[in-house]
Amino acid sequence: KRHPVYSARRRNAVVSFVFQEAFILSDTIYQNIAIGQAGATPEEVEAAAQAAQIHNFIMSLPDGYDTIVGEGGSTLSGGEKQRISIARALIKNAPIVLLDETTSSLDADNADQIIVLDKGKIREKGTHKELLSMNGWYSQVIAEQERVKNWTV
């Protein structure tokens, strides 16, 4: 579902990508999101961050969106880098967002439809709940991610 702040923007891209390894510039959080859409406004950057569920974290930082992240995002956790990458993909307002890998930092239950690809073919598709109820590959990956969260060393 498109956020009302950026739904009126003309769509330039059909597909946005979020790669497994998040590419973060040694710049501000604002610039790391805004680079996804030329001429993005502060309102659009914030709307994308809210949609990616990273806005509250950003606002908890002393400099908010003006916080400079280290080389490759070294001052951020893996999940924070992923969410910034997701915001960057969402600001493009593309109807399709492709994720390179399943990621535990993504709230998949917010997706309209998830399509699991394997070697270029659709393996499973549906909403998060539908895919979990199929007890197929997707539900196994989610179960494994949950199991790993409980590991201790």
Side-chain angles (χ1 to χ4, degrees):
K1 294 178 181 147
R2 305 229 188 294
H3 191 282
V5 172
Y6 56 86
S7 63
R9 176 176 283 284
R10 201 180 97 192
R11 189 179 304 150
N12 294 327
V14 175
V15 179
S16 288
F17 296 93
V18 178
F19 296 101
Q20 183 178 15
E21 281 296 318
F23 180 75
I24 303 294
L25 303 169
S26 183
D27 204 334
T28 64
I29 291 175
Y30 179 91
Q31 288 301 325
N32 270 283
I33 296 172
I35 196 170
Q37 178 66 44
T41 66
E43 293 80 14
E44 291 169 324
V45 169
E46 184 177 324
Q50 286 178 350
Q53 299 180 0
I54 189 73
H55 173 74
N56 289 343
F57 165 75
I58 294 168
M59 295 309 293
S60 73
L61 299 171
D63 294 324
Y65 284 87
D66 293 326
T67 300
I68 295 177
V69 296
E71 185 70 32
S74 62
T75 60
L76 302 170
S77 73
E80 292 157 357
K81 288 188 254 187
Q82 278 289 343
R83 289 197 182 275
I84 289 171
S85 293
I86 291 166
R88 181 187 304 143
L90 293 175
I91 203 167
K92 287 183 180 183
N93 201 21
I96 300 170
V97 178
L98 292 178
L99 305 172
D100 179 33
E101 246 336 286
T102 318
T103 172
S104 60
S105 61
L106 177 65
D107 294 323
D109 56 337
N110 289 333
D112 295 332
Q113 184 173 51
I114 299 168
I115 300 174
V116 179
L117 298 174
D118 183 22
K119 298 178 183 155
K121 297 189 182 201
I122 296 176
R123 187 169 187 164
E124 297 173 350
K125 69 178 180 176
T127 65
H128 176 69
K129 286 183 181 180
E130 291 168 345
L131 291 173
L132 287 178
S133 71
M134 289 179 192
N135 292 321
W137 183 87
Y138 179 86
S139 65
Q140 290 173 11
V141 169
I142 297 298
E144 185 64 21
Q145 287 176 344
E146 290 300 314
R147 191 176 72 78
V148 169
K149 285 181 185 176
N150 297 321
W151 283 5
T152 57
V153 180

mmCIF file of all heavy atoms in Angstrom, residues 59-79:
data_model
loop_
_atom_site.group_PDB
_atom_site.id
_atom_site.type_symbol
_atom_site.label_atom_id
_atom_site.label_comp_id
_atom_site.label_asym_id
_atom_site.label_seq_id
_atom_site.Cartn_x
_atom_site.Cartn_y
_atom_site.Cartn_z
ATOM 1 N N MET A 59 14.525 8.967 14.741
ATOM 2 C CA MET A 59 14.176 10.100 15.608
ATOM 3 C C MET A 59 14.773 9.970 17.008
ATOM 4 O O MET A 59 14.900 10.959 17.724
ATOM 5 C CB MET A 59 12.647 10.264 15.680
ATOM 6 C CG MET A 59 12.030 10.652 14.337
ATOM 7 S SD MET A 59 12.821 12.082 13.554
ATOM 8 C CE MET A 59 12.374 13.373 14.707
ATOM 9 N N SER A 60 15.157 8.757 17.412
ATOM 10 C CA SER A 60 15.776 8.575 18.725
ATOM 11 C C SER A 60 17.252 8.986 18.729
ATOM 12 O O SER A 60 17.855 9.137 19.786
ATOM 13 C CB SER A 60 15.658 7.113 19.178
ATOM 14 O OG SER A 60 16.549 6.279 18.443
ATOM 15 N N LEU A 61 17.821 9.176 17.544
ATOM 16 C CA LEU A 61 19.223 9.590 17.432
ATOM 17 C C LEU A 61 19.338 11.092 17.696
ATOM 18 O O LEU A 61 18.434 11.850 17.329
ATOM 19 C CB LEU A 61 19.764 9.253 16.039
ATOM 20 C CG LEU A 61 19.747 7.770 15.669
ATOM 21 C CD1 LEU A 61 20.087 7.589 14.196
ATOM 22 C CD2 LEU A 61 20.705 6.990 16.554
ATOM 23 N N PRO A 62 20.435 11.544 18.299
ATOM 24 C CA PRO A 62 20.581 12.981 18.613
ATOM 25 C C PRO A 62 20.404 13.896 17.395
ATOM 26 O O PRO A 62 19.820 14.962 17.516
ATOM 27 C CB PRO A 62 22.004 13.083 19.170
ATOM 28 C CG PRO A 62 22.335 11.715 19.658
ATOM 29 C CD PRO A 62 21.577 10.760 18.776
ATOM 30 N N ASP A 63 20.884 13.477 16.235
ATOM 31 C CA ASP A 63 20.762 14.306 15.032
ATOM 32 C C ASP A 63 19.690 13.822 14.072
ATOM 33 O O ASP A 63 19.598 14.309 12.939
ATOM 34 C CB ASP A 63 22.116 14.385 14.309
ATOM 35 C CG ASP A 63 23.163 15.120 15.144
ATOM 36 O OD1 ASP A 63 22.784 16.093 15.837
ATOM 37 O OD2 ASP A 63 24.329 14.710 15.117
ATOM 38 N N GLY A 64 18.870 12.868 14.486
ATOM 39 C CA GLY A 64 17.774 12.385 13.651
ATOM 40 C C GLY A 64 18.221 12.003 12.250
ATOM 41 O O GLY A 64 19.205 11.284 12.075
ATOM 42 N N TYR A 65 17.523 12.527 11.250
ATOM 43 C CA TYR A 65 17.833 12.222 9.857
ATOM 44 C C TYR A 65 19.181 12.797 9.422
ATOM 45 O O TYR A 65 19.741 12.358 8.418
ATOM 46 C CB TYR A 65 16.726 12.737 8.932
ATOM 47 C CG TYR A 65 15.493 11.861 8.963
ATOM 48 C CD1 TYR A 65 14.495 12.056 9.907
ATOM 49 C CD2 TYR A 65 15.330 10.837 8.045
ATOM 50 C CE1 TYR A 65 13.379 11.249 9.945
ATOM 51 C CE2 TYR A 65 14.217 10.022 8.065
ATOM 52 C CZ TYR A 65 13.241 10.229 9.027
ATOM 53 O OH TYR A 65 12.136 9.416 9.057
ATOM 54 N N ASP A 66 19.718 13.750 10.179
ATOM 55 C CA ASP A 66 21.022 14.346 9.859
ATOM 56 C C ASP A 66 22.187 13.566 10.470
ATOM 57 O O ASP A 66 23.340 13.985 10.369
ATOM 58 C CB ASP A 66 21.066 15.801 10.325
ATOM 59 C CG ASP A 66 20.110 16.681 9.526
ATOM 60 O OD1 ASP A 66 19.928 16.412 8.320
ATOM 61 O OD2 ASP A 66 19.554 17.624 10.118
ATOM 62 N N THR A 67 21.898 12.439 11.105
ATOM 63 C CA THR A 67 22.944 11.604 11.688
ATOM 64 C C THR A 67 23.813 11.030 10.573
ATOM 65 O O THR A 67 23.318 10.456 9.608
ATOM 66 C CB THR A 67 22.325 10.446 12.502
ATOM 67 O OG1 THR A 67 21.530 11.004 13.548
ATOM 68 C CG2 THR A 67 23.401 9.537 13.074
ATOM 69 N N ILE A 68 25.111 11.199 10.721
ATOM 70 C CA ILE A 68 26.053 10.647 9.742
ATOM 71 C C ILE A 68 26.411 9.240 10.186
ATOM 72 O O ILE A 68 26.794 9.016 11.334
ATOM 73 C CB ILE A 68 27.310 11.530 9.621
ATOM 74 C CG1 ILE A 68 26.914 12.898 9.047
ATOM 75 C CG2 ILE A 68 28.364 10.847 8.738
ATOM 76 C CD1 ILE A 68 28.033 13.888 8.931
ATOM 77 N N VAL A 69 26.255 8.300 9.251
ATOM 78 C CA VAL A 69 26.598 6.907 9.547
ATOM 79 C C VAL A 69 28.005 6.642 9.044
ATOM 80 O O VAL A 69 28.464 7.258 8.084
ATOM 81 C CB VAL A 69 25.585 5.930 8.926
ATOM 82 C CG1 VAL A 69 24.218 6.126 9.541
ATOM 83 C CG2 VAL A 69 25.502 6.081 7.424
ATOM 84 N N GLY A 70 28.706 5.761 9.698
ATOM 85 C CA GLY A 70 30.086 5.459 9.334
ATOM 86 C C GLY A 70 30.190 4.750 7.993
ATOM 87 O O GLY A 70 29.182 4.426 7.352
ATOM 88 N N GLU A 71 31.405 4.505 7.575
ATOM 89 C CA GLU A 71 31.698 3.824 6.319
ATOM 90 C C GLU A 71 30.932 2.510 6.256
ATOM 91 O O GLU A 71 31.036 1.670 7.148
ATOM 92 C CB GLU A 71 33.206 3.555 6.219
ATOM 93 C CG GLU A 71 33.633 2.958 4.905
ATOM 94 C CD GLU A 71 33.513 3.955 3.757
ATOM 95 O OE1 GLU A 71 33.687 5.161 3.992
ATOM 96 O OE2 GLU A 71 33.240 3.515 2.642
ATOM 97 N N GLY A 72 30.120 2.353 5.225
ATOM 98 C CA GLY A 72 29.328 1.135 5.059
ATOM 99 C C GLY A 72 28.257 0.970 6.121
ATOM 100 O O GLY A 72 27.737 -0.123 6.314
ATOM 101 N N GLY A 73 27.935 2.047 6.826
ATOM 102 C CA GLY A 73 26.918 1.965 7.874
ATOM 103 C C GLY A 73 27.435 1.323 9.147
ATOM 104 O O GLY A 73 26.676 0.702 9.892
ATOM 105 N N SER A 74 28.734 1.467 9.410
ATOM 106 C CA SER A 74 29.373 0.796 10.551
ATOM 107 C C SER A 74 28.763 1.168 11.898
ATOM 108 O O SER A 74 28.909 0.422 12.860
ATOM 109 C CB SER A 74 30.877 1.069 10.559
ATOM 110 O OG SER A 74 31.128 2.446 10.712
ATOM 111 N N THR A 75 28.062 2.289 11.973
ATOM 112 C CA THR A 75 27.448 2.700 13.238
ATOM 113 C C THR A 75 26.042 2.134 13.395
ATOM 114 O O THR A 75 25.382 2.408 14.393
ATOM 115 C CB THR A 75 27.392 4.238 13.345
ATOM 116 O OG1 THR A 75 26.616 4.746 12.264
ATOM 117 C CG2 THR A 75 28.787 4.841 13.325
ATOM 118 N N LEU A 76 25.593 1.348 12.409
ATOM 119 C CA LEU A 76 24.241 0.792 12.425
ATOM 120 C C LEU A 76 24.282 -0.721 12.569
ATOM 121 O O LEU A 76 25.224 -1.367 12.132
ATOM 122 C CB LEU A 76 23.510 1.144 11.118
ATOM 123 C CG LEU A 76 23.370 2.622 10.787
ATOM 124 C CD1 LEU A 76 22.852 2.780 9.359
ATOM 125 C CD2 LEU A 76 22.447 3.307 11.779
ATOM 126 N N SER A 77 23.216 -1.286 13.137
ATOM 127 C CA SER A 77 23.094 -2.742 13.197
ATOM 128 C C SER A 77 22.679 -3.254 11.823
ATOM 129 O O SER A 77 22.264 -2.480 10.950
ATOM 130 C CB SER A 77 22.038 -3.142 14.232
ATOM 131 O OG SER A 77 20.736 -2.856 13.731
ATOM 132 N N GLY A 78 22.762 -4.552 11.632
ATOM 133 C CA GLY A 78 22.353 -5.150 10.365
ATOM 134 C C GLY A 78 20.892 -4.867 10.039
ATOM 135 O O GLY A 78 20.547 -4.550 8.904
ATOM 136 N N GLY A 79 20.028 -4.959 11.040
ATOM 137 C CA GLY A 79 18.607 -4.688 10.831
ATOM 138 C C GLY A 79 18.333 -3.236 10.485
ATOM 139 O O GLY A 79 17.474 -2.940 9.653
#
